[in-house]
Amino acid sequence: MGATTGDPGEGLAVLDLHAYYGLSHVLQGVSLEVGVGETVALLGRNGAGKTTTMRAVMGLMPVRSGRVRLFGQDVTGRRPDQLQRSGVAFVPSGRRVFGSLTVLQNLELAARAGRRRSTRWTLDRVELLFPALPALRGRRAAFLSGGEQQMVKLACALLGEPRLLLLDEPTEGLAPTVVQEMGGWLAALRAEGLGMLLAEQNAVFALRLAQRCYVLEKGVIRAEQAADELLRSETGLRYLGVARNP
Amino acid sequence: MSWGVVAVALLTSLSTAASLFMVAAGLTLIFGAMRVINLAHGSLYMYGAFIAATIVGSATGDTFWYALALAPLAVVVLGTLLEVGLMRRVYRADHLVQLLATYGVLLILGDLALQFWGASPLSVSSPRVLSGSLAFQHFTFPAYELFLTGTGVLVGLALWFLLARTSLGWKVRASVEDAELLAVRGTNVKLLYTVVFAIGAFLAGLGGALITPLQGVDTGLGSSIIVAAFVVAVIGGLGSIAGAALGAGIIAVFQMAGALWLPAWEPTSLYVAMIVVLAIKPWGLLGVRDR
Ligand SMILES: Nc1ncnc2c1ncn2[C@@H]1O[C@H](COP(=O)(O)OP(=O)(O)OP(=O)(O)O)[C@@H](O)[C@H]1O
Ligand SMILES: [Mg+2]
């Protein structure tokens, strides 16, 4: 506890969020902040509510009570496409690409549907960040490898010109070399000044990128800490179910 | 029996199948994107026919083309109201709720039509340029049937172009796959659904307006077409536009064969075709197993 907080008024601020799946009370008062350009890890065991927190923020499930503020505006209850337009990109976990469309169609759809005024992330620039992308343009997205799909997912998110990324388990199911590559991409985006909320089972991966972290347990935030502090704490890491890497 | 007789009979079947295809394509498009069977879809076809007949009957002269342009648009308005007022509330509901709700709409629209237009059928004559027929060797092909069949092909091609080549089409296909992902990438999926429903309504209205010169317009039109359109969509595979085209073509051939060789069987040919196809391919010819 007692870590530095960013600039909540300007980034994302979640205040006492409650959400249900049917009768089950999944989010029991989640509060967290991600400052502009800040990288924050959201950690917790299986079923802690990380995905649900992101879905609730993104307007993908009803919020029973609590507020979501974004860039100084109250956006609670807005539709996902409205949130996207206000500058949040949610990158869900797993193989979430449009498999029946080609990679280029996936990218163009993301660019057209999500276009806002600024054009920081043109297709050319995105392909500069992911040099392997141009060769995949004509491929049906269903036939991509796991790592390639992660790349397309990130590229699609960027084409929507976000200021904040909500990344759900970006390393899930990836081979170690691809995990490393993902670390490189995210570090590059962080250097671009993009804010990030990073939900991860792979706590070490997330903590190496993040400045701060939250630990979620059974739908409530149990702890907030500076990332390097937690990375150095044996008990903290053991709680998260990881052995510290040398 | 010469090939000419068969060709004329096939053209007759194909022309009604073209109108049927438009209705089935709308039904299957709406099912594909929103996973809802709209029983009231046949009523939209019927309104297309009634509105066209009313426009044609309200003035002298060749008003058919105005009717053909205006009736589908009027049905789009009706369909949009239906989507916003009811359909979008039942997309996530149980299939039984969807069937009950849309069946209710079918009954209401049927009664309203009875109020407005009465029980006796309205008839529409073909536009003057299409009232004749084309002779080829010793056989005469009615011009309107040729026109209707050609229009069906054009509508099919236009739909293919829309879905395969435009970003609206990509969005529709993407929404079938993963509507949530489409939403977080910036598409207003609610609005997209309204647009898809309106396109389906347009197709139904167009199919209804186009059938008027060939068929008396009465309040039974809606329920008879919905059954046939459903059969066509199921044969082709629910959700597949190409399947609806294929299904309509197959139905046309079966009906032609029934009419020529087994007249007593013609009304049943529809169901025979469905049973044969589903016995071989339970998900329809171009359908995919439901998720
Ligand atoms: N669609 C659903 N219906 C009902 N309950 C659900 C649903 N999705 C998740 N839950 C429940 O909500 C709780 C939080 O799930 P959530 O997916 O948010 O956890 P998570 O922290 O993302 O876990 P993981 O690390 O496994 O992704 C869990 O108890 C889970 O069982
Ligand atoms: Mg999760």
Side-chain angles (χ1 to χ4, degrees):
Chain A
M1 282 289 163
T4 51
T5 33
D7 187 1
E10 292 290 319
L12 171 73
V14 175
L15 309 166
D16 196 27
L17 210 60
H18 289 256
Y20 290 70
Y21 275 116
L23 290 177
S24 111
H25 193 175
V26 178
L27 298 188
Q28 311 190 357
V30 172
S31 300
L32 56 83
E33 289 164 2
V34 183
V36 166
E38 195 186 16
T39 304
V40 176
L42 183 59
L43 306 175
R45 294 172 172 170
N46 269 329
K50 305 181 291 293
T51 300
T52 309
T53 300
M54 290 190 168
R55 289 173 50 82
V57 166
M58 202 60 200
L60 290 170
M61 61 183 294
V63 165
R64 185 71 58 93
S65 70
R67 314 301 313 165
V68 179
R69 294 181 60 79
L70 185 70
F71 310 128
Q73 265 190 313
D74 190 330
V75 297
T76 321
R78 296 234 178 123
R79 282 196 318 266
D81 58 292
Q82 294 173 317
L83 283 150
Q84 192 278 341
R85 258 159 242 278
S86 334
V88 205
F90 174 44
V91 185
S93 66
R95 310 191 133 231
R96 300 281 289 269
V97 288
F98 299 117
S100 70
L101 303 181
T102 65
V103 167
L104 188 60
Q105 285 173 335
N106 269 276
L107 297 172
E108 286 189 348
L109 194 56
R112 286 190 212 176
R115 187 164 37 201
R116 295 181 305 133
R117 256 205 209 106
S118 81
T119 46
R120 261 161 69 83
W121 291 101
T122 58
L123 192 52
D124 286 344
R125 252 204 94 215
V126 168
E127 289 186 335
L128 225 55
L129 180 63
F130 306 107
L133 209 49
L136 300 174
R137 277 184 167 200
R139 185 102 60 92
R140 283 259 300 270
F143 302 133
L144 298 176
S145 73
E148 289 166 343
Q149 284 184 340
Q150 292 298 328
M151 189 163 65
V152 171
K153 272 164 57 179
L154 263 185
C156 286
L158 293 174
L159 288 168
E161 304 286 352
R163 294 161 65 191
L164 175 71
L165 290 175
L166 306 180
L167 293 151
D168 194 9
E169 313 264 5
T171 68
E172 190 188 20
L174 294 185
T177 55
V178 189
V179 171
Q180 236 178 9
E181 222 177 346
M182 174 63 74
W185 296 332
L186 296 187
L189 296 179
R190 188 184 53 186
E192 291 272 348
L194 267 176
M196 276 187 255
L197 182 64
L198 193 54
E200 263 297 347
Q201 291 280 332
N202 186 344
V204 172
F205 174 87
L207 289 171
R208 285 192 174 145
L209 279 163
Q211 284 132 290
R212 279 186 309 123
C213 73
Y214 293 95
V215 178
L216 195 57
E217 186 183 276
K218 293 183 180 144
V220 282
I221 299 287
R222 275 281 173 260
E224 181 202 354
Q225 210 171 15
D228 51 0
E229 230 171 84
L230 182 55
L231 209 45
R232 273 185 266 110
S233 134
E234 290 288 350
T235 45
L237 287 181
R238 204 172 309 122
Y239 168 83
L240 290 165
V242 281
R244 185 152 55 111
N245 284 14
Chain B
M1 198 171 295
S2 81
W3 68 268
V5 176
V6 176
V8 173
L10 185 62
L11 176 66
T12 309
S13 307
L14 278 177
S15 63
T16 43
S19 159
L20 181 56
F21 160 68
M22 294 174 207
V23 182
L27 191 69
T28 213
L29 181 71
I30 289 168
F31 178 83
M34 284 91 92
R35 298 278 132 182
V36 59
I37 291 288
N38 175 22
L39 289 180
H41 200 65
S43 313
L44 298 176
Y45 165 87
M46 178 178 77
Y47 272 69
F50 267 122
I51 294 167
T54 306
I55 294 173
V56 171
S58 67
T60 50
D62 222 355
T63 45
F64 180 79
W65 301 110
Y66 297 108
L68 195 55
L70 292 176
L73 294 183
V75 174
V76 165
V77 173
L78 180 62
T80 306
L81 290 175
L82 181 59
E83 203 277 342
V84 173
L86 175 77
M87 298 306 293
R88 64 166 54 166
R89 286 161 224 271
V90 301
Y91 290 148
R92 278 148 183 253
D94 204 66
H95 280 311
L96 187 62
V97 173
Q98 297 175 340
L99 289 178
L100 281 174
T102 56
Y103 186 60
V105 173
L106 178 143
L107 294 179
I108 292 168
L109 289 180
D111 275 358
L112 285 175
L114 199 61
Q115 289 289 318
F116 275 125
W117 288 291
S120 52
L122 308 178
S123 69
V124 170
S125 48
S126 317
R128 218 162 293 139
V129 278
L130 297 175
S131 56
S133 54
L134 271 75
F136 184 74
Q137 304 208 335
H138 298 298
F139 299 96
T140 52
F141 293 88
Y144 190 80
E145 274 85 341
L146 281 170
F147 163 75
L148 182 46
T149 306
T151 307
V153 172
L154 285 182
V155 166
L157 289 176
L159 274 176
W160 168 81
F161 182 82
L162 183 76
L163 288 176
R165 291 280 181 272
T166 69
S167 62
L168 175 65
W170 299 350
K171 283 184 191 173
V172 172
R173 284 161 61 196
S175 79
V176 174
E177 258 187 75
D178 193 337
E180 209 169 70
L181 185 62
L182 189 64
V184 301
R185 295 228 179 118
T187 294
N188 182 348
V189 173
K190 229 173 160 178
L191 181 63
L192 180 72
Y193 284 170
T194 307
V195 171
V196 169
F197 199 87
I199 292 172
F202 177 85
L203 291 169
L206 184 65
L210 280 165
I211 204 69
T212 52
L214 300 181
Q215 205 170 335
V217 182
D218 63 27
T219 50
L221 221 51
S223 37
S224 62
I225 196 80
I226 188 66
V227 174
F230 190 66
V231 169
V232 164
V234 166
I235 286 179
L238 269 173
S240 165
I241 302 276
L246 198 59
I250 288 173
I251 291 300
V253 171
F254 267 75
Q255 274 180 339
M256 180 273 298
L260 281 184
W261 297 297
L262 290 167
W265 280 76
E266 202 211 332
T268 6
S269 58
L270 199 66
Y271 309 104
V272 174
M274 179 164 86
I275 290 166
V276 170
V277 169
L278 293 189
I280 302 165
K281 299 208 75 172
W283 301 100
L285 292 171
L286 301 181
V288 281
R289 180 181 265 273
D290 201 3
R291 289 155 291 173

